């Protein structure tokens, strides 16, 4: 007699407990997932190195960045000053700004003071003209933020 293997059961049918799977279809648990964790860790370490290097570079360049942003705003304030603002008031603003800028570059100014200055400057420049009172308010913010 000719022995033939029975057809495989339909998908989803539970196998009897004594069923033996052919070696090629049995999953090999020893090699499953191998290497995935290693490459994930290598990727995380690489990303961490790049992030740390970026933060160090930013920390070194932050004072220059702050100075550029603040000086651009300062120049705009001076050039937008109303006609009734005196040269002395502009000089007072420039001196207060210079002191604030030097303190910010040295890291002695709190971030809240810089944020307050930015908000007050944007508010003063909103209509395109900086009035006398707005300029005096900016000088007060600059002096209050300078330690």
């Amino acid at each position: 007699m000719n022995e033939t293997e029975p057809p495989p059961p339909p998908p989803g049918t539970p196998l009897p407990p004594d069923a033996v799977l052919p070696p090629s279809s049995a999953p090999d648990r020893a090699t499953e997932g191998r290497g995935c964790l290693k490459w994930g860790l290598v990727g995380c370490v690489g990303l961490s190195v790049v992030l740390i290097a970026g933060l160090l570079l930013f920390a070194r360049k932050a004072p220059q960045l702050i100075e550029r942003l603040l000086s651009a705003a300062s120049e705009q304030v001076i050039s937008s000053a109303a006609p009734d603002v005196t040269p002395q008031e502009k000089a007072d603003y420039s001196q207060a700004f210079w002191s604030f800028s030097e303190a910010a570059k040295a890291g002695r100014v709190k971030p809240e003071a810089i944020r307050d200055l930015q908000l007050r400057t944007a508010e003063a420049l909103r209509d395109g003209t900086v009035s006398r009172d707005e300029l005096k308010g900016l000088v007060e913010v600059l002096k209050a933020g300078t330690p």
Side-chain angles (χ1 to χ4, degrees):
M1 281 187 108
N2 202 1
E3 286 188 30
T4 61
E5 292 185 23
T13 306
L15 295 174
D18 61 340
V20 176
L21 294 174
S24 63
S25 65
D28 185 11
R29 299 280 181 207
T31 60
E32 194 173 287
R34 193 174 258 186
C36 186
L37 179 61
K38 179 176 88 175
W39 287 111
L41 289 175
V42 168
C44 285
V45 168
L47 183 62
S48 296
V49 168
V50 169
L51 182 63
I52 290 170
L55 288 173
L56 289 174
L57 181 63
F58 176 75
R60 293 184 77 203
K61 297 292 183 180
Q64 295 168 355
L65 180 63
I66 289 171
E67 182 182 12
R68 285 183 188 161
L69 292 173
L70 291 176
S71 64
S74 172
E75 291 170 10
Q76 193 172 4
V77 165
I78 295 294
S79 66
S80 299
D84 64 334
V85 175
T86 66
Q88 182 59 46
E89 289 169 332
K90 289 180 186 179
D92 290 344
Y93 171 79
S94 293
Q95 178 59 40
F97 174 79
W98 183 84
S99 297
F100 184 89
S101 178
E102 290 299 311
K105 285 192 296 186
R108 297 188 319 257
V109 175
K110 295 180 181 177
E112 298 84 30
I114 294 173
R115 187 174 44 242
D116 190 32
L117 176 63
Q118 290 173 326
L119 291 173
R120 294 287 295 267
T121 301
E123 189 177 299
L125 291 170
R126 185 169 292 142
D127 61 356
T129 303
V130 178
S131 70
R132 240 182 166 163
D133 292 335
E134 290 171 329
L135 191 64
K136 286 179 183 179
L138 288 172
V139 169
E140 289 172 11
V141 168
L142 288 165
K143 288 181 178 179
T146 306

